[in-house]
Amino acid sequence: MNLRPHRREIPEINLTPLIDVVFLLLIFFMVTTSFRDEGRLRLQLPEADAEALPAEESALIEVMIDRAGRFYVNRRALADADVETLQQALRDALGDARERPLAIKADARTPHQAVMRVLDAAGQLGLTQVAFAASRNPVHSTRPDSIPARSTPADSAPESAR
């Protein structure tokens, strides 16, 4: 009969297997994650020397036009290039707030007609704050995605149309 008191062993948690699992998960996610942004629309913006204005990202409606003349409203592709489809997409993006600014980001090789369709749709909806996105001339600045001073659709119309 052993009458000496038993010392209880202090329970310990072995962290080595936990660390191994965390490292395996880390390696798995590093290998399976693609760091390239292939799904993004690539635009080569025209260059301008105008003063850049900060864009209010939350309130800004963004219309992008790629080289082929396809429209994207707030990064969602439109079914066709009709003015009516573009107007409906702009109405959906505007909601009740008609005073939101519109930024047109067109590729440098976009057909001029596509930009005119956006201006026409914006004018018919009564949008007055229209901005054109352009990249700064690399000689003057290295900031790639600046927005020049805002203009109205009437400001962008030719002299004979006024």
Side-chain angles (χ1 to χ4, degrees):
M1 191 159 138
N2 189 1
L3 295 176
R4 286 186 283 163
H6 290 312
R7 284 191 174 170
R8 290 189 174 191
E9 292 184 26
I10 301 174
E12 36 178 276
I13 298 174
N14 191 358
L15 293 179
T16 305
L18 179 65
I19 293 172
D20 289 344
V21 169
V22 169
F23 279 135
L24 283 174
L25 286 172
L26 179 67
I27 290 170
F28 171 77
F29 285 118
M30 286 175 55
V31 169
T32 58
T33 302
S34 173
F35 291 105
R36 293 185 310 174
D37 197 6
E38 295 176 8
R40 219 171 158 182
L41 180 65
R42 300 191 196 304
L43 294 178
Q44 178 185 354
L45 295 175
E47 294 180 0
D49 292 331
E51 183 73 25
L53 293 176
E56 300 165 3
E57 291 296 326
S58 62
L60 192 69
I61 296 173
E62 189 175 76
V63 176
M64 292 189 288
I65 311 168
D66 65 3
R67 289 182 187 196
R70 292 183 297 257
F71 297 113
Y72 300 83
V73 176
N74 289 340
R75 301 191 188 274
R76 289 189 340 192
L78 298 185
D80 55 21
D82 291 337
V83 176
E84 293 82 19
T85 307
L86 183 59
Q87 282 180 345
Q88 186 59 43
L90 287 174
R91 271 191 214 101
D92 294 343
L94 279 170
D96 294 332
R98 293 285 182 197
E99 295 300 318
R100 290 175 62 186
L102 175 73
I104 299 174
K105 292 184 177 183
D107 191 274
R109 293 180 180 90
T110 284
H112 185 68
Q113 179 63 37
V115 177
M116 291 308 296
R117 278 191 187 127
V118 175
L119 286 174
D120 186 35
Q124 290 177 6
L125 290 176
L127 298 176
T128 57
Q129 296 181 6
V130 178
F132 292 94
S135 60
R136 296 279 310 233
N137 193 341
V139 174
H140 299 290
S141 174
T142 58
R143 189 170 164 211
D145 212 18
S146 61
I147 297 177
R150 291 192 176 111
S151 65
T152 63
D155 291 341
S156 60
E159 289 292 322
S160 60
R162 290 184 187 172

